[in-house]
Amino acid sequence: MGRSSRAGRSADKGRTTAEPQPATTGPGGRTHTQGPLTRPVDSGLAELRPDRDRPGAWSLLIDGAPQSMVDLADPTHLGFEYQRRLGHLIDLVAPPGRPLTVLHLGGGALTLARYVAATRPRSRQQVAEIDTALTDLVRAELPLERGWQIKVRGSDARSVLERTPEGSVDLVIADVFSGARVPAHCTTVEFTVLAARALAPGGWYAVNIADGAALPFARSQIATLGAVFPELCLVADPAVLRGKRFGNLVLAAAHAPLPVAELGRKVATDAALGRVEHGRALADFAAGAAPATDATAAPSPVPPPGTFR
């Protein structure tokens, strides 16, 4: 789930995601004059709804819960708070414009893959998205530009990660949700070890999660990533960190120091409030939390009633 740049809340849920298939379908795409579209997909009832503020933009909803925003006229536009924070990490993982090799765990409407392709031409990207009917809908109605090197695997995120060659990617982005929850098998130390194995030297692992109240899931995820990576940071709305509302938290992990100060400056430019935690403050925040393992893990919590309204 995510929070939109406008007042009010939205939710953006990556899907837990056989062979790779090109995601490019050709020019054009759905126009606002065609109006909204509703269609059953594997994970529920999908709706494409025209965005009222951006003439080329569409919101994707599944069973009424907002999933993604895609602006066909401007793929660099990231409409949700957490996506902008992941966009900052994409910007900082390598010098501007340098092509990346990226593995996206969870695809939705491929918003972040579009962002990478637009800001870092010649990047090679793979997306794990289990809902193949959703991918077909996105390809048909919100097509990618020809020449973008994006492939989609219609498989579970963990199974794709298990098959990813060692040291082959610069960035792994985990935005894996089943319904409105992160599935347990994608939250563990074992899963994180697979992500670390896939990273090339200097690569980063970025994770989107959701939690609220006392943030037990978020604290456990910090401990889980910290069991594998020596360098961590977290970005979230201060209200979420105080347990005042349910929302997204973005974690970044690496084997070398992260550019925390530069990330903080980027977050400070966002319209939505955000805070970067790292070092001692992050360790204190997660104090006492146990890492999740395949034997002990549970899904992220159910969002409170009204979260998606």
Side-chain angles (χ1 to χ4, degrees), residues 28-32 53-58 69-78 114 118 141-143 145 148:
R30 192 168 188 84
T31 66
H32 283 198
D53 295 330
R54 302 181 69 90
W58 293 85
M69 178 193 286
V70 168
D71 190 335
L72 294 174
D74 180 10
T76 68
H77 175 72
L78 300 176
R114 297 168 197 266
E141 303 294 339
L142 308 176
E145 292 187 17
W148 284 354

mmCIF file with all atom_site columns, all heavy atoms in Angstrom, residues 28-32 53-58 69-78 114 118 141-143 145 148:
data_model
loop_
_atom_site.group_PDB
_atom_site.id
_atom_site.type_symbol
_atom_site.label_atom_id
_atom_site.label_alt_id
_atom_site.label_comp_id
_atom_site.label_asym_id
_atom_site.label_entity_id
_atom_site.label_seq_id
_atom_site.pdbx_PDB_ins_code
_atom_site.Cartn_x
_atom_site.Cartn_y
_atom_site.Cartn_z
_atom_site.occupancy
_atom_site.B_iso_or_equiv
_atom_site.pdbx_formal_charge
_atom_site.auth_seq_id
_atom_site.auth_comp_id
_atom_site.auth_asym_id
_atom_site.auth_atom_id
_atom_site.pdbx_PDB_model_num
ATOM 1   N N   . GLY A 1 28  ? 1.287   3.994  -27.946 1.00 0.00 ? 28  GLY A N   1
ATOM 2   C CA  . GLY A 1 28  ? -0.064  4.347  -27.573 1.00 0.00 ? 28  GLY A CA  1
ATOM 3   C C   . GLY A 1 28  ? -0.405  3.906  -26.169 1.00 0.00 ? 28  GLY A C   1
ATOM 4   O O   . GLY A 1 28  ? 0.434   3.778  -25.304 1.00 0.00 ? 28  GLY A O   1
ATOM 5   N N   . GLY A 1 29  ? -1.667  3.628  -25.956 1.00 0.00 ? 29  GLY A N   1
ATOM 6   C CA  . GLY A 1 29  ? -2.144  3.255  -24.644 1.00 0.00 ? 29  GLY A CA  1
ATOM 7   C C   . GLY A 1 29  ? -3.539  3.807  -24.439 1.00 0.00 ? 29  GLY A C   1
ATOM 8   O O   . GLY A 1 29  ? -4.068  4.570  -25.252 1.00 0.00 ? 29  GLY A O   1
ATOM 9   N N   . ARG A 1 30  ? -4.153  3.443  -23.357 1.00 0.00 ? 30  ARG A N   1
ATOM 10  C CA  . ARG A 1 30  ? -5.515  3.854  -23.081 1.00 0.00 ? 30  ARG A CA  1
ATOM 11  C C   . ARG A 1 30  ? -5.575  5.363  -22.868 1.00 0.00 ? 30  ARG A C   1
ATOM 12  O O   . ARG A 1 30  ? -4.704  5.944  -22.229 1.00 0.00 ? 30  ARG A O   1
ATOM 13  C CB  . ARG A 1 30  ? -6.049  3.115  -21.857 1.00 0.00 ? 30  ARG A CB  1
ATOM 14  C CG  . ARG A 1 30  ? -7.544  3.252  -21.662 1.00 0.00 ? 30  ARG A CG  1
ATOM 15  C CD  . ARG A 1 30  ? -8.076  2.288  -20.626 1.00 0.00 ? 30  ARG A CD  1
ATOM 16  N NE  . ARG A 1 30  ? -9.539  2.316  -20.605 1.00 0.00 ? 30  ARG A NE  1
ATOM 17  C CZ  . ARG A 1 30  ? -10.303 1.625  -21.427 1.00 0.00 ? 30  ARG A CZ  1
ATOM 18  N NH1 . ARG A 1 30  ? -9.763  0.837  -22.328 1.00 0.00 ? 30  ARG A NH1 1
ATOM 19  N NH2 . ARG A 1 30  ? -11.625 1.716  -21.363 1.00 0.00 ? 30  ARG A NH2 1
ATOM 20  N N   . THR A 1 31  ? -6.608  5.994  -23.375 1.00 0.00 ? 31  THR A N   1
ATOM 21  C CA  . THR A 1 31  ? -6.797  7.430  -23.209 1.00 0.00 ? 31  THR A CA  1
ATOM 22  C C   . THR A 1 31  ? -7.955  7.694  -22.261 1.00 0.00 ? 31  THR A C   1
ATOM 23  O O   . THR A 1 31  ? -8.848  6.861  -22.094 1.00 0.00 ? 31  THR A O   1
ATOM 24  C CB  . THR A 1 31  ? -7.081  8.116  -24.554 1.00 0.00 ? 31  THR A CB  1
ATOM 25  O OG1 . THR A 1 31  ? -8.347  7.653  -25.050 1.00 0.00 ? 31  THR A OG1 1
ATOM 26  C CG2 . THR A 1 31  ? -5.986  7.806  -25.569 1.00 0.00 ? 31  THR A CG2 1
ATOM 27  N N   . HIS A 1 32  ? -7.962  8.875  -21.653 1.00 0.00 ? 32  HIS A N   1
ATOM 28  C CA  . HIS A 1 32  ? -9.017  9.229  -20.721 1.00 0.00 ? 32  HIS A CA  1
ATOM 29  C C   . HIS A 1 32  ? -10.389 9.285  -21.383 1.00 0.00 ? 32  HIS A C   1
ATOM 30  O O   . HIS A 1 32  ? -11.412 9.049  -20.724 1.00 0.00 ? 32  HIS A O   1
ATOM 31  C CB  . HIS A 1 32  ? -8.693  10.567 -20.048 1.00 0.00 ? 32  HIS A CB  1
ATOM 32  C CG  . HIS A 1 32  ? -7.666  10.453 -18.969 1.00 0.00 ? 32  HIS A CG  1
ATOM 33  N ND1 . HIS A 1 32  ? -7.482  11.426 -18.002 1.00 0.00 ? 32  HIS A ND1 1
ATOM 34  C CD2 . HIS A 1 32  ? -6.766  9.469  -18.673 1.00 0.00 ? 32  HIS A CD2 1
ATOM 35  C CE1 . HIS A 1 32  ? -6.516  11.056 -17.187 1.00 0.00 ? 32  HIS A CE1 1
ATOM 36  N NE2 . HIS A 1 32  ? -6.063  9.879  -17.575 1.00 0.00 ? 32  HIS A NE2 1
ATOM 37  N N   . ASP A 1 53  ? -5.967  14.556 -12.113 1.00 0.00 ? 53  ASP A N   1
ATOM 38  C CA  . ASP A 1 53  ? -5.024  15.672 -12.181 1.00 0.00 ? 53  ASP A CA  1
ATOM 39  C C   . ASP A 1 53  ? -4.015  15.574 -13.323 1.00 0.00 ? 53  ASP A C   1
ATOM 40  O O   . ASP A 1 53  ? -3.402  16.582 -13.687 1.00 0.00 ? 53  ASP A O   1
ATOM 41  C CB  . ASP A 1 53  ? -4.243  15.788 -10.866 1.00 0.00 ? 53  ASP A CB  1
ATOM 42  C CG  . ASP A 1 53  ? -5.139  16.151 -9.698  1.00 0.00 ? 53  ASP A CG  1
ATOM 43  O OD1 . ASP A 1 53  ? -6.158  16.834 -9.927  1.00 0.00 ? 53  ASP A OD1 1
ATOM 44  O OD2 . ASP A 1 53  ? -4.828  15.741 -8.569  1.00 0.00 ? 53  ASP A OD2 1
ATOM 45  N N   . ARG A 1 54  ? -3.830  14.376 -13.876 1.00 0.00 ? 54  ARG A N   1
ATOM 46  C CA  . ARG A 1 54  ? -2.798  14.184 -14.897 1.00 0.00 ? 54  ARG A CA  1
ATOM 47  C C   . ARG A 1 54  ? -3.439  13.500 -16.090 1.00 0.00 ? 54  ARG A C   1
ATOM 48  O O   . ARG A 1 54  ? -3.882  12.352 -15.993 1.00 0.00 ? 54  ARG A O   1
ATOM 49  C CB  . ARG A 1 54  ? -1.635  13.358 -14.346 1.00 0.00 ? 54  ARG A CB  1
ATOM 50  C CG  . ARG A 1 54  ? -0.993  13.996 -13.113 1.00 0.00 ? 54  ARG A CG  1
ATOM 51  C CD  . ARG A 1 54  ? 0.178   13.166 -12.588 1.00 0.00 ? 54  ARG A CD  1
ATOM 52  N NE  . ARG A 1 54  ? 1.312   13.199 -13.491 1.00 0.00 ? 54  ARG A NE  1
ATOM 53  C CZ  . ARG A 1 54  ? 2.290   14.099 -13.439 1.00 0.00 ? 54  ARG A CZ  1
ATOM 54  N NH1 . ARG A 1 54  ? 2.257   15.070 -12.534 1.00 0.00 ? 54  ARG A NH1 1
ATOM 55  N NH2 . ARG A 1 54  ? 3.305   14.047 -14.280 1.00 0.00 ? 54  ARG A NH2 1
ATOM 56  N N   . PRO A 1 55  ? -3.498  14.171 -17.250 1.00 0.00 ? 55  PRO A N   1
ATOM 57  C CA  . PRO A 1 55  ? -4.263  13.647 -18.385 1.00 0.00 ? 55  PRO A CA  1
ATOM 58  C C   . PRO A 1 55  ? -3.739  12.356 -18.973 1.00 0.00 ? 55  PRO A C   1
ATOM 59  O O   . PRO A 1 55  ? -4.481  11.656 -19.664 1.00 0.00 ? 55  PRO A O   1
ATOM 60  C CB  . PRO A 1 55  ? -4.204  14.791 -19.416 1.00 0.00 ? 55  PRO A CB  1
ATOM 61  C CG  . PRO A 1 55  ? -3.048  15.637 -18.999 1.00 0.00 ? 55  PRO A CG  1
ATOM 62  C CD  . PRO A 1 55  ? -2.952  15.524 -17.517 1.00 0.00 ? 55  PRO A CD  1
ATOM 63  N N   . GLY A 1 56  ? -2.457  12.014 -18.707 1.00 0.00 ? 56  GLY A N   1
ATOM 64  C CA  . GLY A 1 56  ? -1.919  10.758 -19.229 1.00 0.00 ? 56  GLY A CA  1
ATOM 65  C C   . GLY A 1 56  ? -1.794  9.679  -18.178 1.00 0.00 ? 56  GLY A C   1
ATOM 66  O O   . GLY A 1 56  ? -1.207  8.631  -18.448 1.00 0.00 ? 56  GLY A O   1
ATOM 67  N N   . ALA A 1 57  ? -2.342  9.905  -16.992 1.00 0.00 ? 57  ALA A N   1
ATOM 68  C CA  . ALA A 1 57  ? -2.101  9.010  -15.862 1.00 0.00 ? 57  ALA A CA  1
ATOM 69  C C   . ALA A 1 57  ? -3.314  8.153  -15.532 1.00 0.00 ? 57  ALA A C   1
ATOM 70  O O   . ALA A 1 57  ? -4.466  8.581  -15.697 1.00 0.00 ? 57  ALA A O   1
ATOM 71  C CB  . ALA A 1 57  ? -1.683  9.812  -14.633 1.00 0.00 ? 57  ALA A CB  1
ATOM 72  N N   . TRP A 1 58  ? -3.022  6.953  -15.033 1.00 0.00 ? 58  TRP A N   1
ATOM 73  C CA  . TRP A 1 58  ? -4.044  5.988  -14.662 1.00 0.00 ? 58  TRP A CA  1
ATOM 74  C C   . TRP A 1 58  ? -3.699  5.382  -13.310 1.00 0.00 ? 58  TRP A C   1
ATOM 75  O O   . TRP A 1 58  ? -2.535  5.113  -13.025 1.00 0.00 ? 58  TRP A O   1
ATOM 76  C CB  . TRP A 1 58  ? -4.125  4.858  -15.688 1.00 0.00 ? 58  TRP A CB  1
ATOM 77  C CG  . TRP A 1 58  ? -4.622  5.323  -17.016 1.00 0.00 ? 58  TRP A CG  1
ATOM 78  C CD1 . TRP A 1 58  ? -3.891  5.879  -18.022 1.00 0.00 ? 58  TRP A CD1 1
ATOM 79  C CD2 . TRP A 1 58  ? -5.971  5.282  -17.472 1.00 0.00 ? 58  TRP A CD2 1
ATOM 80  N NE1 . TRP A 1 58  ? -4.704  6.189  -19.079 1.00 0.00 ? 58  TRP A NE1 1
ATOM 81  C CE2 . TRP A 1 58  ? -5.978  5.829  -18.767 1.00 0.00 ? 58  TRP A CE2 1
ATOM 82  C CE3 . TRP A 1 58  ? -7.166  4.829  -16.915 1.00 0.00 ? 58  TRP A CE3 1
ATOM 83  C CZ2 . TRP A 1 58  ? -7.145  5.945  -19.518 1.00 0.00 ? 58  TRP A CZ2 1
ATOM 84  C CZ3 . TRP A 1 58  ? -8.328  4.935  -17.652 1.00 0.00 ? 58  TRP A CZ3 1
ATOM 85  C CH2 . TRP A 1 58  ? -8.312  5.492  -18.950 1.00 0.00 ? 58  TRP A CH2 1
ATOM 86  N N   . MET A 1 69  ? 0.058   3.933  -9.733  1.00 0.00 ? 69  MET A N   1
ATOM 87  C CA  . MET A 1 69  ? -0.262  4.999  -10.677 1.00 0.00 ? 69  MET A CA  1
ATOM 88  C C   . MET A 1 69  ? 0.796   4.980  -11.778 1.00 0.00 ? 69  MET A C   1
ATOM 89  O O   . MET A 1 69  ? 1.993   4.915  -11.490 1.00 0.00 ? 69  MET A O   1
ATOM 90  C CB  . MET A 1 69  ? -0.286  6.374  -10.022 1.00 0.00 ? 69  MET A CB  1
ATOM 91  C CG  . MET A 1 69  ? -0.561  7.501  -11.023 1.00 0.00 ? 69  MET A CG  1
ATOM 92  S SD  . MET A 1 69  ? -0.246  9.152  -10.364 1.00 0.00 ? 69  MET A SD  1
ATOM 93  C CE  . MET A 1 69  ? -1.663  9.313  -9.287  1.00 0.00 ? 69  MET A CE  1
ATOM 94  N N   . VAL A 1 70  ? 0.333   5.045  -13.016 1.00 0.00 ? 70  VAL A N   1
ATOM 95  C CA  . VAL A 1 70  ? 1.223   5.105  -14.176 1.00 0.00 ? 70  VAL A CA  1
ATOM 96  C C   . VAL A 1 70  ? 0.855   6.322  -14.996 1.00 0.00 ? 70  VAL A C   1
ATOM 97  O O   . VAL A 1 70  ? -0.320  6.512  -15.334 1.00 0.00 ? 70  VAL A O   1
ATOM 98  C CB  . VAL A 1 70  ? 1.110   3.832  -15.036 1.00 0.00 ? 70  VAL A CB  1
ATOM 99  C CG1 . VAL A 1 70  ? 1.797   4.023  -16.388 1.00 0.00 ? 70  VAL A CG1 1
ATOM 100 C CG2 . VAL A 1 70  ? 1.687   2.637  -14.310 1.00 0.00 ? 70  VAL A CG2 1
ATOM 101 N N   . ASP A 1 71  ? 1.832   7.161  -15.311 1.00 0.00 ? 71  ASP A N   1
ATOM 102 C CA  . ASP A 1 71  ? 1.619   8.294  -16.202 1.00 0.00 ? 71  ASP A CA  1
ATOM 103 C C   . ASP A 1 71  ? 2.281   7.961  -17.532 1.00 0.00 ? 71  ASP A C   1
ATOM 104 O O   . ASP A 1 71  ? 3.507   7.951  -17.647 1.00 0.00 ? 71  ASP A O   1
ATOM 105 C CB  . ASP A 1 71  ? 2.216   9.572  -15.603 1.00 0.00 ? 71  ASP A CB  1
ATOM 106 C CG  . ASP A 1 71  ? 1.814   10.827 -16.369 1.00 0.00 ? 71  ASP A CG  1
ATOM 107 O OD1 . ASP A 1 71  ? 1.491   10.704 -17.573 1.00 0.00 ? 71  ASP A OD1 1
ATOM 108 O OD2 . ASP A 1 71  ? 1.832   11.918 -15.779 1.00 0.00 ? 71  ASP A OD2 1
ATOM 109 N N   . LEU A 1 72  ? 1.465   7.663  -18.539 1.00 0.00 ? 72  LEU A N   1
ATOM 110 C CA  . LEU A 1 72  ? 2.003   7.278  -19.845 1.00 0.00 ? 72  LEU A CA  1
ATOM 111 C C   . LEU A 1 72  ? 2.773   8.410  -20.498 1.00 0.00 ? 72  LEU A C   1
ATOM 112 O O   . LEU A 1 72  ? 3.654   8.170  -21.329 1.00 0.00 ? 72  LEU A O   1
ATOM 113 C CB  . LEU A 1 72  ? 0.870   6.812  -20.756 1.00 0.00 ? 72  LEU A CB  1
ATOM 114 C CG  . LEU A 1 72  ? 0.162   5.522  -20.325 1.00 0.00 ? 72  LEU A CG  1
ATOM 115 C CD1 . LEU A 1 72  ? -1.041  5.253  -21.236 1.00 0.00 ? 72  LEU A CD1 1
ATOM 116 C CD2 . LEU A 1 72  ? 1.118   4.344  -20.322 1.00 0.00 ? 72  LEU A CD2 1
ATOM 117 N N   . ALA A 1 73  ? 2.445   9.651  -20.145 1.00 0.00 ? 73  ALA A N   1
ATOM 118 C CA  . ALA A 1 73  ? 3.143   10.800 -20.722 1.00 0.00 ? 73  ALA A CA  1
ATOM 119 C C   . ALA A 1 73  ? 4.440   11.114 -19.992 1.00 0.00 ? 73  ALA A C   1
ATOM 120 O O   . ALA A 1 73  ? 5.301   11.808 -20.536 1.00 0.00 ? 73  ALA A O   1
ATOM 121 C CB  . ALA A 1 73  ? 2.236   12.026 -20.699 1.00 0.00 ? 73  ALA A CB  1
ATOM 122 N N   . ASP A 1 74  ? 4.590   10.628 -18.762 1.00 0.00 ? 74  ASP A N   1
ATOM 123 C CA  . ASP A 1 74  ? 5.773   10.948 -17.959 1.00 0.00 ? 74  ASP A CA  1
ATOM 124 C C   . ASP A 1 74  ? 6.101   9.786  -17.033 1.00 0.00 ? 74  ASP A C   1
ATOM 125 O O   . ASP A 1 74  ? 5.654   9.747  -15.887 1.00 0.00 ? 74  ASP A O   1
ATOM 126 C CB  . ASP A 1 74  ? 5.540   12.225 -17.137 1.00 0.00 ? 74  ASP A CB  1
ATOM 127 C CG  . ASP A 1 74  ? 6.754   12.595 -16.288 1.00 0.00 ? 74  ASP A CG  1
ATOM 128 O OD1 . ASP A 1 74  ? 7.827   11.980 -16.474 1.00 0.00 ? 74  ASP A OD1 1
ATOM 129 O OD2 . ASP A 1 74  ? 6.627   13.501 -15.444 1.00 0.00 ? 74  ASP A OD2 1
ATOM 130 N N   . PRO A 1 75  ? 6.894   8.815  -17.517 1.00 0.00 ? 75  PRO A N   1
ATOM 131 C CA  . PRO A 1 75  ? 7.206   7.649  -16.684 1.00 0.00 ? 75  PRO A CA  1
ATOM 132 C C   . PRO A 1 75  ? 8.089   7.966  -15.493 1.00 0.00 ? 75  PRO A C   1
ATOM 133 O O   . PRO A 1 75  ? 8.280   7.106  -14.631 1.00 0.00 ? 75  PRO A O   1
ATOM 134 C CB  . PRO A 1 75  ? 7.918   6.699  -17.662 1.00 0.00 ? 75  PRO A CB  1
ATOM 135 C CG  . PRO A 1 75  ? 8.434   7.579  -18.740 1.00 0.00 ? 75  PRO A CG  1
ATOM 136 C CD  . PRO A 1 75  ? 7.449   8.705  -18.874 1.00 0.00 ? 75  PRO A CD  1
ATOM 137 N N   . THR A 1 76  ? 8.618   9.186  -15.415 1.00 0.00 ? 76  THR A N   1
ATOM 138 C CA  . THR A 1 76  ? 9.407   9.557  -14.238 1.00 0.00 ? 76  THR A CA  1
ATOM 139 C C   . THR A 1 76  ? 8.527   10.019 -13.086 1.00 0.00 ? 76  THR A C   1
ATOM 140 O O   . THR A 1 76  ? 9.028   10.241 -11.975 1.00 0.00 ? 76  THR A O   1
ATOM 141 C CB  . THR A 1 76  ? 10.415  10.671 -14.570 1.00 0.00 ? 76  THR A CB  1
ATOM 142 O OG1 . THR A 1 76  ? 9.715   11.892 -14.851 1.00 0.00 ? 76  THR A OG1 1
ATOM 143 C CG2 . THR A 1 76  ? 11.278  10.291 -15.760 1.00 0.00 ? 76  THR A CG2 1
ATOM 144 N N   . HIS A 1 77  ? 7.214   10.172 -13.330 1.00 0.00 ? 77  HIS A N   1
ATOM 145 C CA  . HIS A 1 77  ? 6.314   10.596 -12.260 1.00 0.00 ? 77  HIS A CA  1
ATOM 146 C C   . HIS A 1 77  ? 5.985   9.410  -11.365 1.00 0.00 ? 77  HIS A C   1
ATOM 147 O O   . HIS A 1 77  ? 5.484   8.384  -11.828 1.00 0.00 ? 77  HIS A O   1
ATOM 148 C CB  . HIS A 1 77  ? 5.019   11.166 -12.833 1.00 0.00 ? 77  HIS A CB  1
ATOM 149 C CG  . HIS A 1 77  ? 4.010   11.505 -11.777 1.00 0.00 ? 77  HIS A CG  1
ATOM 150 N ND1 . HIS A 1 77  ? 4.170   12.579 -10.932 1.00 0.00 ? 77  HIS A ND1 1
ATOM 151 C CD2 . HIS A 1 77  ? 2.844   10.900 -11.420 1.00 0.00 ? 77  HIS A CD2 1
ATOM 152 C CE1 . HIS A 1 77  ? 3.147   12.627 -10.098 1.00 0.00 ? 77  HIS A CE1 1
ATOM 153 N NE2 . HIS A 1 77  ? 2.331   11.621 -10.368 1.00 0.00 ? 77  HIS A NE2 1
ATOM 154 N N   . LEU A 1 78  ? 6.265   9.550  -10.078 1.00 0.00 ? 78  LEU A N   1
ATOM 155 C CA  . LEU A 1 78  ? 5.962   8.517  -9.084  1.00 0.00 ? 78  LEU A CA  1
ATOM 156 C C   . LEU A 1 78  ? 4.908   9.080  -8.142  1.00 0.00 ? 78  LEU A C   1
ATOM 157 O O   . LEU A 1 78  ? 5.182   9.997  -7.365  1.00 0.00 ? 78  LEU A O   1
ATOM 158 C CB  . LEU A 1 78  ? 7.232   8.113  -8.333  1.00 0.00 ? 78  LEU A CB  1
ATOM 159 C CG  . LEU A 1 78  ? 8.362   7.545  -9.212  1.00 0.00 ? 78  LEU A CG  1
ATOM 160 C CD1 . LEU A 1 78  ? 9.611   7.272  -8.391  1.00 0.00 ? 78  LEU A CD1 1
ATOM 161 C CD2 . LEU A 1 78  ? 7.903   6.277  -9.939  1.00 0.00 ? 78  LEU A CD2 1
ATOM 162 N N   . ARG A 1 114 ? 9.336   1.260  -15.255 1.00 0.00 ? 114 ARG A N   1
ATOM 163 C CA  . ARG A 1 114 ? 9.249   2.373  -16.208 1.00 0.00 ? 114 ARG A CA  1
ATOM 164 C C   . ARG A 1 114 ? 10.194  3.507  -15.790 1.00 0.00 ? 114 ARG A C   1
ATOM 165 O O   . ARG A 1 114 ? 10.846  4.135  -16.638 1.00 0.00 ? 114 ARG A O   1
ATOM 166 C CB  . ARG A 1 114 ? 7.809   2.899  -16.270 1.00 0.00 ? 114 ARG A CB  1
ATOM 167 C CG  . ARG A 1 114 ? 6.764   1.910  -16.765 1.00 0.00 ? 114 ARG A CG  1
ATOM 168 C CD  . ARG A 1 114 ? 5.352   2.428  -16.508 1.00 0.00 ? 114 ARG A CD  1
ATOM 169 N NE  . ARG A 1 114 ? 4.355   1.381  -16.603 1.00 0.00 ? 114 ARG A NE  1
ATOM 170 C CZ  . ARG A 1 114 ? 3.661   1.101  -17.711 1.00 0.00 ? 114 ARG A CZ  1
ATOM 171 N NH1 . ARG A 1 114 ? 3.854   1.795  -18.813 1.00 0.00 ? 114 ARG A NH1 1
ATOM 172 N NH2 . ARG A 1 114 ? 2.767   0.136  -17.703 1.00 0.00 ? 114 ARG A NH2 1
ATOM 173 N N   . ALA A 1 118 ? 13.271  4.995  -18.002 1.00 0.00 ? 118 ALA A N   1
ATOM 174 C CA  . ALA A 1 118 ? 13.257  6.386  -18.462 1.00 0.00 ? 118 ALA A CA  1
ATOM 175 C C   . ALA A 1 118 ? 14.450  7.176  -17.954 1.00 0.00 ? 118 ALA A C   1
ATOM 176 O O   . ALA A 1 118 ? 14.961  8.055  -18.657 1.00 0.00 ? 118 ALA A O   1
ATOM 177 C CB  . ALA A 1 118 ? 11.962  7.065  -18.016 1.00 0.00 ? 118 ALA A CB  1
ATOM 178 N N   . GLU A 1 141 ? -3.139  -2.145 -22.084 1.00 0.00 ? 141 GLU A N   1
ATOM 179 C CA  . GLU A 1 141 ? -3.744  -0.833 -21.858 1.00 0.00 ? 141 GLU A CA  1
ATOM 180 C C   . GLU A 1 141 ? -2.740  0.248  -21.466 1.00 0.00 ? 141 GLU A C   1
ATOM 181 O O   . GLU A 1 141 ? -2.964  1.431  -21.736 1.00 0.00 ? 141 GLU A O   1
ATOM 182 C CB  . GLU A 1 141 ? -4.821  -0.940 -20.777 1.00 0.00 ? 141 GLU A CB  1
ATOM 183 C CG  . GLU A 1 141 ? -5.916  -1.944 -21.080 1.00 0.00 ? 141 GLU A CG  1
ATOM 184 C CD  . GLU A 1 141 ? -6.760  -1.548 -22.288 1.00 0.00 ? 141 GLU A CD  1
ATOM 185 O OE1 . GLU A 1 141 ? -6.781  -0.356 -22.647 1.00 0.00 ? 141 GLU A OE1 1
ATOM 186 O OE2 . GLU A 1 141 ? -7.410  -2.451 -22.876 1.00 0.00 ? 141 GLU A OE2 1
ATOM 187 N N   . LEU A 1 142 ? -1.643  -0.138 -20.815 1.00 0.00 ? 142 LEU A N   1
ATOM 188 C CA  . LEU A 1 142 ? -0.619  0.813  -20.370 1.00 0.00 ? 142 LEU A CA  1
ATOM 189 C C   . LEU A 1 142 ? 0.733   0.339  -20.886 1.00 0.00 ? 142 LEU A C   1
ATOM 190 O O   . LEU A 1 142 ? 1.639   0.019  -20.115 1.00 0.00 ? 142 LEU A O   1
ATOM 191 C CB  . LEU A 1 142 ? -0.605  0.906  -18.832 1.00 0.00 ? 142 LEU A CB  1
ATOM 192 C CG  . LEU A 1 142 ? -1.939  1.176  -18.141 1.00 0.00 ? 142 LEU A CG  1
ATOM 193 C CD1 . LEU A 1 142 ? -1.757  1.134  -16.627 1.00 0.00 ? 142 LEU A CD1 1
ATOM 194 C CD2 . LEU A 1 142 ? -2.516  2.523  -18.578 1.00 0.00 ? 142 LEU A CD2 1
ATOM 195 N N   . PRO A 1 143 ? 0.901   0.270  -22.208 1.00 0.00 ? 143 PRO A N   1
ATOM 196 C CA  . PRO A 1 143 ? 2.086   -0.370 -22.783 1.00 0.00 ? 143 PRO A CA  1
ATOM 197 C C   . PRO A 1 143 ? 3.380   0.369  -22.462 1.00 0.00 ? 143 PRO A C   1
ATOM 198 O O   . PRO A 1 143 ? 3.396   1.581  -22.236 1.00 0.00 ? 143 PRO A O   1
ATOM 199 C CB  . PRO A 1 143 ? 1.798   -0.347 -24.283 1.00 0.00 ? 143 PRO A CB  1
ATOM 200 C CG  . PRO A 1 143 ? 0.852   0.790  -24.471 1.00 0.00 ? 143 PRO A CG  1
ATOM 201 C CD  . PRO A 1 143 ? -0.006  0.804  -23.236 1.00 0.00 ? 143 PRO A CD  1
ATOM 202 N N   . GLU A 1 145 ? 7.318   1.511  -23.549 1.00 0.00 ? 145 GLU A N   1
ATOM 203 C CA  . GLU A 1 145 ? 7.933   1.998  -24.785 1.00 0.00 ? 145 GLU A CA  1
ATOM 204 C C   . GLU A 1 145 ? 8.797   0.910  -25.408 1.00 0.00 ? 145 GLU A C   1
ATOM 205 O O   . GLU A 1 145 ? 9.475   0.148  -24.718 1.00 0.00 ? 145 GLU A O   1
ATOM 206 C CB  . GLU A 1 145 ? 8.791   3.231  -24.489 1.00 0.00 ? 145 GLU A CB  1
ATOM 207 C CG  . GLU A 1 145 ? 7.989   4.445  -24.081 1.00 0.00 ? 145 GLU A CG  1
ATOM 208 C CD  . GLU A 1 145 ? 8.853   5.694  -23.965 1.00 0.00 ? 145 GLU A CD  1
ATOM 209 O OE1 . GLU A 1 145 ? 9.980   5.679  -24.503 1.00 0.00 ? 145 GLU A OE1 1
ATOM 210 O OE2 . GLU A 1 145 ? 8.400   6.656  -23.345 1.00 0.00 ? 145 GLU A OE2 1
ATOM 211 N N   . TRP A 1 148 ? 12.643  -0.534 -24.353 1.00 0.00 ? 148 TRP A N   1
ATOM 212 C CA  . TRP A 1 148 ? 12.918  -0.754 -22.930 1.00 0.00 ? 148 TRP A CA  1
ATOM 213 C C   . TRP A 1 148 ? 13.170  -2.242 -22.701 1.00 0.00 ? 148 TRP A C   1
ATOM 214 O O   . TRP A 1 148 ? 12.366  -3.085 -23.086 1.00 0.00 ? 148 TRP A O   1
ATOM 215 C CB  . TRP A 1 148 ? 11.744  -0.296 -22.084 1.00 0.00 ? 148 TRP A CB  1
ATOM 216 C CG  . TRP A 1 148 ? 11.653  1.190  -21.931 1.00 0.00 ? 148 TRP A CG  1
ATOM 217 C CD1 . TRP A 1 148 ? 12.546  2.132  -22.353 1.00 0.00 ? 148 TRP A CD1 1
ATOM 218 C CD2 . TRP A 1 148 ? 10.579  1.913  -21.310 1.00 0.00 ? 148 TRP A CD2 1
ATOM 219 N NE1 . TRP A 1 148 ? 12.106  3.390  -22.031 1.00 0.00 ? 148 TRP A NE1 1
ATOM 220 C CE2 . TRP A 1 148 ? 10.906  3.287  -21.384 1.00 0.00 ? 148 TRP A CE2 1
ATOM 221 C CE3 . TRP A 1 148 ? 9.388   1.526  -20.706 1.00 0.00 ? 148 TRP A CE3 1
ATOM 222 C CZ2 . TRP A 1 148 ? 10.077  4.275  -20.863 1.00 0.00 ? 148 TRP A CZ2 1
ATOM 223 C CZ3 . TRP A 1 148 ? 8.558   2.500  -20.184 1.00 0.00 ? 148 TRP A CZ3 1
ATOM 224 C CH2 . TRP A 1 148 ? 8.903   3.875  -20.263 1.00 0.00 ? 148 TRP A CH2 1
#
